[in-house]
mmCIF file of all heavy atoms in Angstrom:
data_model
loop_
_atom_site.group_PDB
_atom_site.id
_atom_site.type_symbol
_atom_site.label_atom_id
_atom_site.label_comp_id
_atom_site.label_asym_id
_atom_site.label_seq_id
_atom_site.Cartn_x
_atom_site.Cartn_y
_atom_site.Cartn_z
ATOM 1 N N GLY A 60 0.809 -1.215 -0.052
ATOM 2 C CA GLY A 60 -0.039 -0.037 0.039
ATOM 3 C C GLY A 60 0.849 1.272 0.036
ATOM 4 O O GLY A 60 0.217 2.377 0.003
ATOM 5 N N SER A 61 2.090 1.107 0.056
ATOM 6 C CA SER A 61 2.950 2.334 0.067
ATOM 7 C C SER A 61 3.474 2.671 -1.299
ATOM 8 O O SER A 61 3.372 1.926 -2.248
ATOM 9 C CB SER A 61 4.241 2.150 1.051
ATOM 10 O OG SER A 61 5.139 1.029 0.474
ATOM 11 N N ASN A 62 3.926 3.816 -1.424
ATOM 12 C CA ASN A 62 4.565 4.428 -2.741
ATOM 13 C C ASN A 62 6.075 4.479 -2.527
ATOM 14 O O ASN A 62 6.529 5.241 -1.764
ATOM 15 C CB ASN A 62 3.920 5.711 -3.136
ATOM 16 C CG ASN A 62 4.322 6.193 -4.569
ATOM 17 O OD1 ASN A 62 5.395 5.846 -4.995
ATOM 18 N ND2 ASN A 62 3.520 6.936 -5.141
ATOM 19 N N ASP A 63 6.789 3.647 -3.276
ATOM 20 C CA ASP A 63 8.294 3.638 -3.240
ATOM 21 C C ASP A 63 8.871 5.008 -3.406
ATOM 22 O O ASP A 63 9.902 5.273 -2.721
ATOM 23 C CB ASP A 63 8.755 2.723 -4.263
ATOM 24 C CG ASP A 63 8.528 1.315 -4.151
ATOM 25 O OD1 ASP A 63 7.484 0.892 -3.282
ATOM 26 O OD2 ASP A 63 8.964 0.473 -4.960
ATOM 27 N N ASP A 64 8.193 5.777 -4.230
ATOM 28 C CA ASP A 64 8.872 7.066 -4.547
ATOM 29 C C ASP A 64 9.092 7.919 -3.385
ATOM 30 O O ASP A 64 10.175 8.548 -3.313
ATOM 31 C CB ASP A 64 8.052 7.850 -5.598
ATOM 32 C CG ASP A 64 7.918 7.133 -6.907
ATOM 33 O OD1 ASP A 64 8.431 6.017 -7.102
ATOM 34 O OD2 ASP A 64 7.179 7.613 -7.874
ATOM 35 N N TRP A 65 8.144 8.009 -2.470
ATOM 36 C CA TRP A 65 8.307 8.892 -1.365
ATOM 37 C C TRP A 65 9.544 8.402 -0.470
ATOM 38 O O TRP A 65 10.264 9.166 0.140
ATOM 39 C CB TRP A 65 7.069 8.807 -0.458
ATOM 40 C CG TRP A 65 5.906 9.547 -1.052
ATOM 41 C CD1 TRP A 65 4.711 9.063 -1.214
ATOM 42 C CD2 TRP A 65 5.806 10.903 -1.362
ATOM 43 N NE1 TRP A 65 3.857 10.039 -1.742
ATOM 44 C CE2 TRP A 65 4.510 11.193 -1.803
ATOM 45 C CE3 TRP A 65 6.804 11.980 -1.362
ATOM 46 C CZ2 TRP A 65 4.060 12.340 -2.286
ATOM 47 C CZ3 TRP A 65 6.314 13.211 -1.834
ATOM 48 C CH2 TRP A 65 5.061 13.440 -2.298
ATOM 49 N N TYR A 66 9.802 7.047 -0.455
ATOM 50 C CA TYR A 66 10.849 6.536 0.413
ATOM 51 C C TYR A 66 12.104 6.829 -0.144
ATOM 52 O O TYR A 66 13.067 7.242 0.661
ATOM 53 C CB TYR A 66 10.604 4.981 0.597
ATOM 54 C CG TYR A 66 9.437 4.680 1.495
ATOM 55 C CD1 TYR A 66 8.114 4.673 1.029
ATOM 56 C CD2 TYR A 66 9.698 4.261 2.776
ATOM 57 C CE1 TYR A 66 7.069 4.387 1.925
ATOM 58 C CE2 TYR A 66 8.542 3.919 3.643
ATOM 59 C CZ TYR A 66 7.282 4.014 3.189
ATOM 60 O OH TYR A 66 6.195 3.718 4.033
ATOM 61 N N TRP A 67 12.420 6.558 -1.446
ATOM 62 C CA TRP A 67 13.660 6.887 -1.999
ATOM 63 C C TRP A 67 14.095 8.351 -2.118
ATOM 64 O O TRP A 67 15.137 8.791 -1.860
ATOM 65 C CB TRP A 67 13.997 6.102 -3.353
ATOM 66 C CG TRP A 67 13.030 6.148 -4.389
ATOM 67 C CD1 TRP A 67 12.275 5.093 -4.841
ATOM 68 C CD2 TRP A 67 12.841 7.210 -5.310
ATOM 69 N NE1 TRP A 67 11.582 5.502 -5.972
ATOM 70 C CE2 TRP A 67 11.945 6.840 -6.313
ATOM 71 C CE3 TRP A 67 13.359 8.559 -5.514
ATOM 72 C CZ2 TRP A 67 11.482 7.699 -7.396
ATOM 73 C CZ3 TRP A 67 12.987 9.407 -6.533
ATOM 74 C CH2 TRP A 67 12.083 8.966 -7.474
ATOM 75 N N LEU A 68 12.948 9.136 -2.241
ATOM 76 C CA LEU A 68 13.142 10.572 -2.295
ATOM 77 C C LEU A 68 13.560 11.219 -0.958
ATOM 78 O O LEU A 68 14.511 11.933 -0.779
ATOM 79 C CB LEU A 68 12.010 11.352 -2.872
ATOM 80 C CG LEU A 68 12.095 12.881 -2.980
ATOM 81 C CD1 LEU A 68 13.241 13.182 -3.883
ATOM 82 C CD2 LEU A 68 10.777 13.416 -3.658
ATOM 83 N N TYR A 69 12.747 10.648 0.042
ATOM 84 C CA TYR A 69 13.031 11.116 1.423
ATOM 85 C C TYR A 69 14.458 10.696 1.927
ATOM 86 O O TYR A 69 15.118 11.539 2.547
ATOM 87 C CB TYR A 69 11.921 10.629 2.469
ATOM 88 C CG TYR A 69 12.306 10.953 3.885
ATOM 89 C CD1 TYR A 69 11.885 12.221 4.461
ATOM 90 C CD2 TYR A 69 12.926 10.108 4.669
ATOM 91 C CE1 TYR A 69 12.192 12.515 5.736
ATOM 92 C CE2 TYR A 69 13.217 10.380 5.942
ATOM 93 C CZ TYR A 69 12.865 11.669 6.439
ATOM 94 O OH TYR A 69 13.320 11.981 7.692
ATOM 95 N N ALA A 70 14.747 9.499 1.564
ATOM 96 C CA ALA A 70 16.037 8.965 2.132
ATOM 97 C C ALA A 70 17.345 9.775 1.378
ATOM 98 O O ALA A 70 18.203 10.052 2.076
ATOM 99 C CB ALA A 70 16.314 7.460 1.701
ATOM 100 N N THR A 71 17.164 10.133 0.170
ATOM 101 C CA THR A 71 18.213 10.949 -0.435
ATOM 102 C C THR A 71 18.280 12.291 0.082
ATOM 103 O O THR A 71 19.484 12.802 0.383
ATOM 104 C CB THR A 71 17.892 11.054 -1.999
ATOM 105 O OG1 THR A 71 17.637 9.847 -2.615
ATOM 106 C CG2 THR A 71 18.928 11.651 -2.709
ATOM 107 N N VAL A 72 17.261 12.884 0.297
ATOM 108 C CA VAL A 72 17.153 14.274 0.900
ATOM 109 C C VAL A 72 17.694 14.249 2.328
ATOM 110 O O VAL A 72 18.522 15.002 2.725
ATOM 111 C CB VAL A 72 15.900 14.961 0.836
ATOM 112 C CG1 VAL A 72 15.878 16.325 1.593
ATOM 113 C CG2 VAL A 72 15.360 15.091 -0.618
ATOM 114 N N SER A 73 17.253 13.239 2.994
ATOM 115 C CA SER A 73 17.634 13.113 4.449
ATOM 116 C C SER A 73 19.197 12.845 4.609
ATOM 117 O O SER A 73 19.901 13.414 5.424
ATOM 118 C CB SER A 73 16.922 11.948 5.094
ATOM 119 O OG SER A 73 17.343 11.831 6.472
ATOM 120 N N CYS A 74 19.689 11.910 3.732
ATOM 121 C CA CYS A 74 21.166 11.632 3.713
ATOM 122 C C CYS A 74 21.978 12.635 2.976
ATOM 123 O O CYS A 74 23.253 12.379 3.015
ATOM 124 C CB CYS A 74 21.341 10.209 3.274
ATOM 125 S SG CYS A 74 20.615 8.901 4.186
ATOM 126 N N LYS A 75 21.423 13.473 2.284
ATOM 127 C CA LYS A 75 22.196 14.652 1.513
ATOM 128 C C LYS A 75 23.207 13.806 0.586
ATOM 129 O O LYS A 75 24.364 14.166 0.452
ATOM 130 C CB LYS A 75 22.921 15.528 2.389
ATOM 131 C CG LYS A 75 22.190 16.426 3.409
ATOM 132 C CD LYS A 75 22.937 17.267 4.141
ATOM 133 C CE LYS A 75 22.195 18.217 5.069
ATOM 134 N NZ LYS A 75 21.426 17.502 6.187
ATOM 135 N N CYS A 76 22.579 12.768 -0.174
ATOM 136 C CA CYS A 76 23.332 12.028 -0.991
ATOM 137 C C CYS A 76 22.804 11.981 -2.411
ATOM 138 O O CYS A 76 21.964 12.669 -2.847
ATOM 139 C CB CYS A 76 23.472 10.652 -0.449
ATOM 140 S SG CYS A 76 21.892 9.705 -0.446
ATOM 141 N N LEU A 77 23.466 11.045 -3.266
ATOM 142 C CA LEU A 77 22.993 10.918 -4.658
ATOM 143 C C LEU A 77 21.858 9.902 -4.758
ATOM 144 O O LEU A 77 21.706 9.075 -3.951
ATOM 145 C CB LEU A 77 24.178 10.441 -5.491
ATOM 146 C CG LEU A 77 25.321 11.424 -5.561
ATOM 147 C CD1 LEU A 77 26.560 10.691 -6.313
ATOM 148 C CD2 LEU A 77 25.068 12.731 -6.269
ATOM 149 N N LEU A 78 21.116 10.083 -5.913
ATOM 150 C CA LEU A 78 19.958 9.318 -6.114
ATOM 151 C C LEU A 78 20.150 8.698 -7.483
ATOM 152 O O LEU A 78 20.297 9.376 -8.479
ATOM 153 C CB LEU A 78 18.636 10.080 -6.036
ATOM 154 C CG LEU A 78 17.327 9.452 -6.587
ATOM 155 C CD1 LEU A 78 16.969 8.257 -5.706
ATOM 156 C CD2 LEU A 78 16.250 10.420 -6.706
ATOM 157 N N LEU A 79 20.034 7.340 -7.626
ATOM 158 C CA LEU A 79 20.031 6.704 -8.848
ATOM 159 C C LEU A 79 18.654 6.350 -9.362
ATOM 160 O O LEU A 79 17.967 5.403 -8.751
ATOM 161 C CB LEU A 79 20.867 5.433 -8.803
ATOM 162 C CG LEU A 79 21.014 4.528 -10.134
ATOM 163 C CD1 LEU A 79 21.314 5.421 -11.339
ATOM 164 C CD2 LEU A 79 21.869 3.313 -9.894
ATOM 165 N N THR A 80 18.232 6.927 -10.356
ATOM 166 C CA THR A 80 16.873 6.555 -10.944
ATOM 167 C C THR A 80 16.838 7.266 -12.361
ATOM 168 O O THR A 80 17.440 8.281 -12.547
ATOM 169 C CB THR A 80 15.603 7.107 -10.068
ATOM 170 O OG1 THR A 80 14.461 6.806 -10.714
ATOM 171 C CG2 THR A 80 15.683 8.567 -9.921
ATOM 172 N N ASN A 81 16.053 6.540 -13.246
ATOM 173 C CA ASN A 81 15.767 7.276 -14.541
ATOM 174 C C ASN A 81 14.406 7.890 -14.612
ATOM 175 O O ASN A 81 14.021 8.438 -15.599
ATOM 176 C CB ASN A 81 15.819 6.150 -15.662
ATOM 177 C CG ASN A 81 17.255 5.784 -16.028
ATOM 178 O OD1 ASN A 81 18.206 6.416 -15.550
ATOM 179 N ND2 ASN A 81 17.415 4.812 -16.872
ATOM 180 N N ASP A 82 13.776 7.897 -13.380
ATOM 181 C CA ASP A 82 12.476 8.654 -13.322
ATOM 182 C C ASP A 82 12.695 10.132 -13.417
ATOM 183 O O ASP A 82 13.497 10.675 -12.633
ATOM 184 C CB ASP A 82 11.881 8.261 -11.893
ATOM 185 C CG ASP A 82 10.452 8.692 -11.735
ATOM 186 O OD1 ASP A 82 10.102 9.692 -12.412
ATOM 187 O OD2 ASP A 82 9.648 8.072 -11.081
ATOM 188 N N GLU A 83 12.053 10.778 -14.350
ATOM 189 C CA GLU A 83 12.234 12.208 -14.524
ATOM 190 C C GLU A 83 11.524 12.974 -13.530
ATOM 191 O O GLU A 83 11.642 14.250 -13.395
ATOM 192 C CB GLU A 83 11.795 12.579 -15.992
ATOM 193 C CG GLU A 83 12.630 12.141 -17.014
ATOM 194 C CD GLU A 83 14.111 12.640 -16.863
ATOM 195 O OE1 GLU A 83 14.335 13.721 -16.432
ATOM 196 O OE2 GLU A 83 15.052 11.803 -17.251
ATOM 197 N N MET A 84 10.668 12.284 -12.600
ATOM 198 C CA MET A 84 10.070 12.931 -11.443
ATOM 199 C C MET A 84 9.232 14.070 -11.883
ATOM 200 O O MET A 84 9.306 15.208 -11.398
ATOM 201 C CB MET A 84 11.107 13.373 -10.413
ATOM 202 C CG MET A 84 11.791 12.221 -9.720
ATOM 203 S SD MET A 84 13.036 12.667 -8.623
ATOM 204 C CE MET A 84 14.545 12.523 -9.592
ATOM 205 N N ARG A 85 8.290 13.802 -12.846
ATOM 206 C CA ARG A 85 7.446 14.880 -13.413
ATOM 207 C C ARG A 85 5.940 14.785 -13.112
ATOM 208 O O ARG A 85 5.169 15.605 -13.337
ATOM 209 C CB ARG A 85 7.641 15.158 -14.832
ATOM 210 C CG ARG A 85 9.028 15.574 -15.332
ATOM 211 C CD ARG A 85 8.762 16.036 -16.812
ATOM 212 N NE ARG A 85 10.189 16.403 -17.306
ATOM 213 C CZ ARG A 85 10.926 15.786 -18.332
ATOM 214 N NH1 ARG A 85 10.189 14.771 -18.758
ATOM 215 N NH2 ARG A 85 12.022 16.240 -18.675
ATOM 216 N N ASP A 86 5.622 13.547 -12.589
ATOM 217 C CA ASP A 86 4.143 13.254 -12.351
ATOM 218 C C ASP A 86 3.603 13.986 -11.222
ATOM 219 O O ASP A 86 4.201 14.809 -10.551
ATOM 220 C CB ASP A 86 3.904 11.779 -12.282
ATOM 221 C CG ASP A 86 4.542 11.214 -11.061
ATOM 222 O OD1 ASP A 86 4.844 11.974 -10.041
ATOM 223 O OD2 ASP A 86 4.868 9.978 -10.980
ATOM 224 N N HIS A 87 2.278 13.696 -10.978
ATOM 225 C CA HIS A 87 1.589 14.567 -9.964
ATOM 226 C C HIS A 87 2.104 14.380 -8.627
ATOM 227 O O HIS A 87 2.130 15.388 -7.835
ATOM 228 C CB HIS A 87 0.065 14.087 -10.054
ATOM 229 C CG HIS A 87 -0.044 12.666 -9.368
ATOM 230 N ND1 HIS A 87 0.296 11.557 -10.082
ATOM 231 C CD2 HIS A 87 -0.483 12.270 -8.097
ATOM 232 C CE1 HIS A 87 -0.054 10.539 -9.204
ATOM 233 N NE2 HIS A 87 -0.422 10.975 -8.162
ATOM 234 N N LEU A 88 2.770 13.331 -8.385
ATOM 235 C CA LEU A 88 3.380 13.161 -7.094
ATOM 236 C C LEU A 88 4.442 14.184 -6.700
ATOM 237 O O LEU A 88 4.393 14.865 -5.642
ATOM 238 C CB LEU A 88 3.925 11.760 -6.850
ATOM 239 C CG LEU A 88 4.633 11.292 -5.567
ATOM 240 C CD1 LEU A 88 4.435 9.679 -5.415
ATOM 241 C CD2 LEU A 88 5.970 11.650 -5.412
ATOM 242 N N PHE A 89 5.271 14.422 -7.689
ATOM 243 C CA PHE A 89 6.421 15.379 -7.580
ATOM 244 C C PHE A 89 5.911 16.750 -7.680
ATOM 245 O O PHE A 89 6.481 17.754 -7.146
ATOM 246 C CB PHE A 89 7.521 14.985 -8.512
ATOM 247 C CG PHE A 89 8.045 13.703 -8.286
ATOM 248 C CD1 PHE A 89 7.721 12.621 -9.066
ATOM 249 C CD2 PHE A 89 8.905 13.416 -7.074
ATOM 250 C CE1 PHE A 89 8.290 11.313 -8.887
ATOM 251 C CE2 PHE A 89 9.313 12.160 -6.961
ATOM 252 C CZ PHE A 89 9.077 11.134 -7.754
ATOM 253 N N GLN A 90 4.824 16.975 -8.499
ATOM 254 C CA GLN A 90 4.179 18.337 -8.511
ATOM 255 C C GLN A 90 3.628 18.720 -7.213
ATOM 256 O O GLN A 90 3.544 20.002 -6.961
ATOM 257 C CB GLN A 90 3.099 18.335 -9.643
ATOM 258 C CG GLN A 90 3.585 18.265 -10.959
ATOM 259 C CD GLN A 90 2.559 18.097 -12.046
ATOM 260 O OE1 GLN A 90 1.403 18.256 -11.780
ATOM 261 N NE2 GLN A 90 2.919 17.733 -13.294
ATOM 262 N N LEU A 91 3.330 17.992 -6.264
ATOM 263 C CA LEU A 91 2.805 18.263 -4.997
ATOM 264 C C LEU A 91 4.018 19.022 -4.233
ATOM 265 O O LEU A 91 3.569 19.665 -3.239
ATOM 266 C CB LEU A 91 2.422 16.985 -4.231
ATOM 267 C CG LEU A 91 1.210 16.230 -4.782
ATOM 268 C CD1 LEU A 91 0.995 14.905 -4.001
ATOM 269 C CD2 LEU A 91 -0.107 17.153 -4.555
ATOM 270 N N LEU A 92 5.186 18.797 -4.589
ATOM 271 C CA LEU A 92 6.285 19.519 -3.823
ATOM 272 C C LEU A 92 6.234 20.925 -4.162
ATOM 273 O O LEU A 92 6.592 21.745 -3.304
ATOM 274 C CB LEU A 92 7.637 18.952 -4.277
ATOM 275 C CG LEU A 92 7.833 17.411 -3.942
ATOM 276 C CD1 LEU A 92 9.086 16.882 -4.670
ATOM 277 C CD2 LEU A 92 8.015 17.361 -2.404
ATOM 278 N N GLY A 93 5.714 21.327 -5.241
ATOM 279 C CA GLY A 93 5.376 22.735 -5.650
ATOM 280 C C GLY A 93 6.489 23.729 -5.255
ATOM 281 O O GLY A 93 6.293 24.685 -4.693
ATOM 282 N N SER A 94 7.695 23.368 -5.661
ATOM 283 C CA SER A 94 8.902 24.266 -5.288
ATOM 284 C C SER A 94 9.823 24.453 -6.508
ATOM 285 O O SER A 94 10.075 23.515 -7.146
ATOM 286 C CB SER A 94 9.617 23.617 -4.182
ATOM 287 O OG SER A 94 10.863 24.292 -3.977
ATOM 288 N N SER A 95 10.261 25.673 -6.649
ATOM 289 C CA SER A 95 11.354 25.930 -7.720
ATOM 290 C C SER A 95 12.652 25.397 -7.287
ATOM 291 O O SER A 95 13.586 25.223 -8.100
ATOM 292 C CB SER A 95 11.484 27.467 -7.937
ATOM 293 O OG SER A 95 11.938 28.083 -6.759
ATOM 294 N N PHE A 96 12.776 24.914 -6.025
ATOM 295 C CA PHE A 96 14.022 24.383 -5.424
ATOM 296 C C PHE A 96 14.140 22.965 -6.051
ATOM 297 O O PHE A 96 15.254 22.532 -6.317
ATOM 298 C CB PHE A 96 13.981 24.326 -3.966
ATOM 299 C CG PHE A 96 15.099 23.668 -3.349
ATOM 300 C CD1 PHE A 96 16.359 24.226 -3.042
ATOM 301 C CD2 PHE A 96 14.888 22.265 -2.939
ATOM 302 C CE1 PHE A 96 17.335 23.634 -2.499
ATOM 303 C CE2 PHE A 96 15.981 21.569 -2.382
ATOM 304 C CZ PHE A 96 17.237 22.228 -2.179
ATOM 305 N N PHE A 97 13.130 22.268 -6.238
ATOM 306 C CA PHE A 97 13.218 20.797 -6.600
ATOM 307 C C PHE A 97 14.014 20.566 -7.940
ATOM 308 O O PHE A 97 14.877 19.685 -7.948
ATOM 309 C CB PHE A 97 11.858 20.124 -6.692
ATOM 310 C CG PHE A 97 11.893 18.741 -6.909
ATOM 311 C CD1 PHE A 97 12.551 17.861 -6.114
ATOM 312 C CD2 PHE A 97 11.175 18.137 -8.006
ATOM 313 C CE1 PHE A 97 12.663 16.503 -6.242
ATOM 314 C CE2 PHE A 97 11.275 16.694 -8.215
ATOM 315 C CZ PHE A 97 11.887 15.931 -7.314
ATOM 316 N N PRO A 98 13.685 21.249 -8.989
ATOM 317 C CA PRO A 98 14.536 20.983 -10.207
ATOM 318 C C PRO A 98 16.044 21.232 -9.977
ATOM 319 O O PRO A 98 16.904 20.620 -10.486
ATOM 320 C CB PRO A 98 13.952 21.961 -11.188
ATOM 321 C CG PRO A 98 12.544 22.311 -10.748
ATOM 322 C CD PRO A 98 12.673 22.344 -9.216
ATOM 323 N N ARG A 99 16.352 22.336 -9.118
ATOM 324 C CA ARG A 99 17.720 22.523 -8.878
ATOM 325 C C ARG A 99 18.454 21.440 -8.052
ATOM 326 O O ARG A 99 19.510 21.051 -8.313
ATOM 327 C CB ARG A 99 17.829 23.912 -8.182
ATOM 328 C CG ARG A 99 17.601 25.102 -9.082
ATOM 329 C CD ARG A 99 17.890 26.376 -8.303
ATOM 330 N NE ARG A 99 16.758 26.627 -7.287
ATOM 331 C CZ ARG A 99 17.071 27.120 -6.025
ATOM 332 N NH1 ARG A 99 18.202 27.425 -5.761
ATOM 333 N NH2 ARG A 99 16.022 27.351 -5.249
ATOM 334 N N TRP A 100 17.631 20.888 -7.080
ATOM 335 C CA TRP A 100 18.146 19.926 -6.268
ATOM 336 C C TRP A 100 18.347 18.614 -7.060
ATOM 337 O O TRP A 100 19.436 17.929 -7.050
ATOM 338 C CB TRP A 100 17.120 19.685 -5.135
ATOM 339 C CG TRP A 100 17.479 18.471 -4.321
ATOM 340 C CD1 TRP A 100 18.297 18.471 -3.181
ATOM 341 C CD2 TRP A 100 17.162 17.041 -4.488
ATOM 342 N NE1 TRP A 100 18.513 17.181 -2.656
ATOM 343 C CE2 TRP A 100 17.758 16.343 -3.426
ATOM 344 C CE3 TRP A 100 16.331 16.456 -5.414
ATOM 345 C CZ2 TRP A 100 17.635 14.917 -3.404
ATOM 346 C CZ3 TRP A 100 16.314 15.072 -5.353
ATOM 347 C CH2 TRP A 100 16.964 14.304 -4.305
ATOM 348 N N LYS A 101 17.369 18.233 -7.889
ATOM 349 C CA LYS A 101 17.379 17.059 -8.797
ATOM 350 C C LYS A 101 18.649 17.059 -9.742
ATOM 351 O O LYS A 101 19.218 16.094 -9.827
ATOM 352 C CB LYS A 101 16.085 16.981 -9.514
ATOM 353 C CG LYS A 101 15.980 15.696 -10.354
ATOM 354 C CD LYS A 101 14.605 15.643 -11.012
ATOM 355 C CE LYS A 101 14.681 16.385 -12.357
ATOM 356 N NZ LYS A 101 13.537 15.959 -13.322
ATOM 357 N N GLU A 102 18.874 18.126 -10.258
ATOM 358 C CA GLU A 102 20.041 18.331 -11.236
ATOM 359 C C GLU A 102 21.389 18.058 -10.591
ATOM 360 O O GLU A 102 22.195 17.408 -11.195
ATOM 361 C CB GLU A 102 20.028 19.814 -11.683
ATOM 362 C CG GLU A 102 21.185 19.971 -12.662
ATOM 363 C CD GLU A 102 21.306 21.394 -13.261
ATOM 364 O OE1 GLU A 102 21.840 22.295 -12.594
ATOM 365 O OE2 GLU A 102 20.653 21.720 -14.324
ATOM 366 N N LYS A 103 21.464 18.344 -9.344
ATOM 367 C CA LYS A 103 22.776 18.098 -8.599
ATOM 368 C C LYS A 103 22.862 16.780 -8.002
ATOM 369 O O LYS A 103 23.892 16.297 -7.487
ATOM 370 C CB LYS A 103 22.898 19.156 -7.418
ATOM 371 C CG LYS A 103 23.263 20.648 -7.977
ATOM 372 C CD LYS A 103 23.500 21.555 -6.888
ATOM 373 C CE LYS A 103 24.002 22.855 -7.359
ATOM 374 N NZ LYS A 103 25.420 22.781 -7.726
ATOM 375 N N HIS A 104 21.681 15.980 -7.862
ATOM 376 C CA HIS A 104 21.746 14.721 -7.098
ATOM 377 C C HIS A 104 21.321 13.516 -7.882
ATOM 378 O O HIS A 104 21.623 12.369 -7.383
ATOM 379 C CB HIS A 104 20.828 14.842 -5.796
ATOM 380 C CG HIS A 104 21.194 15.779 -4.809
ATOM 381 N ND1 HIS A 104 20.991 17.198 -4.952
ATOM 382 C CD2 HIS A 104 22.005 15.718 -3.570
ATOM 383 C CE1 HIS A 104 21.624 17.732 -3.875
ATOM 384 N NE2 HIS A 104 22.100 16.858 -3.037
ATOM 385 N N GLN A 105 20.729 13.720 -9.005
ATOM 386 C CA GLN A 105 20.273 12.533 -9.770
ATOM 387 C C GLN A 105 21.342 11.895 -10.657
ATOM 388 O O GLN A 105 21.879 12.588 -11.594
ATOM 389 C CB GLN A 105 19.048 12.912 -10.644
ATOM 390 C CG GLN A 105 18.467 11.631 -11.286
ATOM 391 C CD GLN A 105 17.219 11.976 -12.094
ATOM 392 O OE1 GLN A 105 16.868 13.096 -12.201
ATOM 393 N NE2 GLN A 105 16.496 10.946 -12.565
ATOM 394 N N ILE A 106 21.519 10.560 -10.470
ATOM 395 C CA ILE A 106 22.363 9.729 -11.452
ATOM 396 C C ILE A 106 21.387 9.027 -12.129
ATOM 397 O O ILE A 106 20.324 8.449 -11.733
ATOM 398 C CB ILE A 106 23.304 8.799 -10.572
ATOM 399 C CG1 ILE A 106 24.128 9.552 -9.623
ATOM 400 C CG2 ILE A 106 24.086 8.006 -11.618
ATOM 401 C CD1 ILE A 106 25.014 8.587 -8.795
#
């Protein structure tokens, strides 16, 4: 019943580390974050 996306995103932000995924993180779930910060953060952390 859980959504994996929340778990790997939270873990990455919490650990201030890199994230390996090909998910472009554009769907409604990530739009809920509603922040101009998110694209900048993603660019620096996504592998």
